[in-house]
Short mmCIF file of all heavy atoms in Angstrom, two decimals:
data_model
loop_
_atom_site.label_atom_id
_atom_site.label_comp_id
_atom_site.label_asym_id
_atom_site.label_seq_id
_atom_site.Cartn_x
_atom_site.Cartn_y
_atom_site.Cartn_z
N VAL A 300 -27.94 -17.42 -9.43
CA VAL A 300 -29.18 -18.12 -9.11
C VAL A 300 -29.38 -18.11 -7.60
O VAL A 300 -28.47 -18.49 -6.85
CB VAL A 300 -29.13 -19.58 -9.64
CG1 VAL A 300 -30.35 -20.37 -9.17
CG2 VAL A 300 -29.05 -19.58 -11.16
N VAL A 301 -30.53 -17.62 -7.17
CA VAL A 301 -30.86 -17.61 -5.74
C VAL A 301 -31.94 -18.65 -5.51
O VAL A 301 -33.04 -18.54 -6.04
CB VAL A 301 -31.36 -16.22 -5.29
CG1 VAL A 301 -31.66 -16.22 -3.79
CG2 VAL A 301 -30.35 -15.13 -5.63
N LEU A 302 -31.61 -19.68 -4.73
CA LEU A 302 -32.55 -20.77 -4.44
C LEU A 302 -33.03 -20.67 -3.01
O LEU A 302 -32.23 -20.51 -2.10
CB LEU A 302 -31.85 -22.12 -4.59
CG LEU A 302 -31.57 -22.65 -5.98
CD1 LEU A 302 -30.75 -23.93 -5.86
CD2 LEU A 302 -32.87 -22.94 -6.72
N ARG A 303 -34.33 -20.75 -2.84
CA ARG A 303 -34.89 -20.74 -1.50
C ARG A 303 -35.54 -22.08 -1.24
O ARG A 303 -36.35 -22.55 -2.04
CB ARG A 303 -35.98 -19.67 -1.37
CG ARG A 303 -35.43 -18.30 -1.22
CD ARG A 303 -36.52 -17.28 -1.50
NE ARG A 303 -35.89 -16.01 -1.73
CZ ARG A 303 -35.48 -15.20 -0.74
NH1 ARG A 303 -35.72 -15.52 0.52
NH2 ARG A 303 -34.85 -14.09 -1.02
N LYS A 304 -35.19 -22.68 -0.09
CA LYS A 304 -35.80 -23.95 0.32
C LYS A 304 -36.80 -23.65 1.41
O LYS A 304 -36.48 -22.93 2.37
CB LYS A 304 -34.71 -24.87 0.85
CG LYS A 304 -35.11 -26.31 1.08
CD LYS A 304 -33.92 -27.07 1.66
CE LYS A 304 -33.98 -28.55 1.43
NZ LYS A 304 -32.75 -29.21 1.92
N LYS A 305 -38.02 -24.13 1.25
CA LYS A 305 -39.04 -23.94 2.28
C LYS A 305 -40.03 -25.09 2.22
O LYS A 305 -40.50 -25.44 1.15
CB LYS A 305 -39.76 -22.60 2.07
CG LYS A 305 -40.63 -22.24 3.25
CD LYS A 305 -40.73 -20.75 3.48
CE LYS A 305 -41.33 -20.49 4.85
NZ LYS A 305 -42.74 -20.22 4.82
N ASP A 306 -40.30 -25.67 3.37
CA ASP A 306 -41.22 -26.82 3.47
C ASP A 306 -40.91 -27.88 2.42
O ASP A 306 -41.82 -28.41 1.76
CB ASP A 306 -42.68 -26.34 3.32
CG ASP A 306 -43.03 -25.31 4.40
OD1 ASP A 306 -42.49 -25.43 5.51
OD2 ASP A 306 -43.82 -24.39 4.11
N GLY A 307 -39.63 -28.14 2.25
CA GLY A 307 -39.22 -29.24 1.38
C GLY A 307 -39.18 -28.92 -0.11
O GLY A 307 -38.76 -29.75 -0.90
N SER A 308 -39.61 -27.70 -0.51
CA SER A 308 -39.51 -27.42 -1.95
C SER A 308 -38.67 -26.17 -2.22
O SER A 308 -38.44 -25.35 -1.32
CB SER A 308 -40.91 -27.32 -2.58
OG SER A 308 -41.65 -26.35 -1.90
N PHE A 309 -38.23 -26.06 -3.45
CA PHE A 309 -37.33 -24.97 -3.85
C PHE A 309 -38.01 -23.98 -4.77
O PHE A 309 -38.78 -24.37 -5.64
CB PHE A 309 -36.12 -25.55 -4.60
CG PHE A 309 -35.15 -26.29 -3.73
CD1 PHE A 309 -35.26 -27.66 -3.54
CD2 PHE A 309 -34.12 -25.61 -3.09
CE1 PHE A 309 -34.35 -28.34 -2.73
CE2 PHE A 309 -33.21 -26.28 -2.27
CZ PHE A 309 -33.33 -27.65 -2.10
N THR A 310 -37.71 -22.69 -4.58
CA THR A 310 -38.08 -21.70 -5.59
C THR A 310 -36.79 -21.04 -6.05
O THR A 310 -35.82 -20.97 -5.30
CB THR A 310 -39.03 -20.62 -5.04
OG1 THR A 310 -38.44 -20.07 -3.86
CG2 THR A 310 -40.39 -21.20 -4.72
N GLU A 311 -36.79 -20.57 -7.29
CA GLU A 311 -35.57 -20.04 -7.89
C GLU A 311 -35.81 -18.64 -8.44
O GLU A 311 -36.82 -18.38 -9.06
CB GLU A 311 -35.17 -20.99 -9.03
CG GLU A 311 -33.88 -20.60 -9.68
CD GLU A 311 -33.55 -21.51 -10.87
OE1 GLU A 311 -33.52 -22.74 -10.71
OE2 GLU A 311 -33.34 -20.95 -11.97
N GLU A 312 -34.83 -17.77 -8.18
CA GLU A 312 -34.85 -16.41 -8.74
C GLU A 312 -33.53 -16.22 -9.45
O GLU A 312 -32.53 -16.79 -9.03
CB GLU A 312 -34.81 -15.42 -7.59
CG GLU A 312 -36.04 -14.66 -7.25
CD GLU A 312 -35.75 -13.85 -5.99
OE1 GLU A 312 -34.83 -13.01 -5.99
OE2 GLU A 312 -36.45 -14.11 -4.98
N ARG A 313 -33.52 -15.38 -10.48
CA ARG A 313 -32.25 -15.13 -11.16
C ARG A 313 -31.89 -13.67 -11.12
O ARG A 313 -32.73 -12.81 -11.30
CB ARG A 313 -32.31 -15.62 -12.60
CG ARG A 313 -32.27 -17.13 -12.63
CD ARG A 313 -32.30 -17.71 -14.01
NE ARG A 313 -32.20 -19.16 -13.88
CZ ARG A 313 -31.15 -19.87 -14.31
NH1 ARG A 313 -30.14 -19.27 -14.92
NH2 ARG A 313 -31.13 -21.17 -14.13
N HIS A 314 -30.64 -13.40 -10.83
CA HIS A 314 -30.14 -12.03 -10.79
C HIS A 314 -29.05 -11.91 -11.84
O HIS A 314 -28.24 -12.81 -11.99
CB HIS A 314 -29.58 -11.72 -9.41
CG HIS A 314 -30.64 -11.53 -8.38
ND1 HIS A 314 -31.06 -10.31 -7.94
CD2 HIS A 314 -31.41 -12.44 -7.74
CE1 HIS A 314 -32.03 -10.47 -7.06
NE2 HIS A 314 -32.26 -11.76 -6.91
N GLY A 315 -29.01 -10.79 -12.50
CA GLY A 315 -28.10 -10.42 -13.58
C GLY A 315 -26.81 -11.20 -13.79
O GLY A 315 -26.46 -12.10 -13.06
N GLY A 316 -26.12 -10.85 -14.82
CA GLY A 316 -24.93 -11.56 -15.25
C GLY A 316 -23.73 -11.33 -14.35
O GLY A 316 -23.53 -10.23 -13.83
#
Side-chain angles (χ1 to χ4, degrees):
V300 173
V301 181
L302 284 174
R303 283 164 196 278
K304 191 182 203 176
K305 191 148 193 263
D306 301 327
S308 56
F309 287 92
T310 53
E311 183 184 306
E312 253 174 59
R313 287 181 178 246
H314 286 259

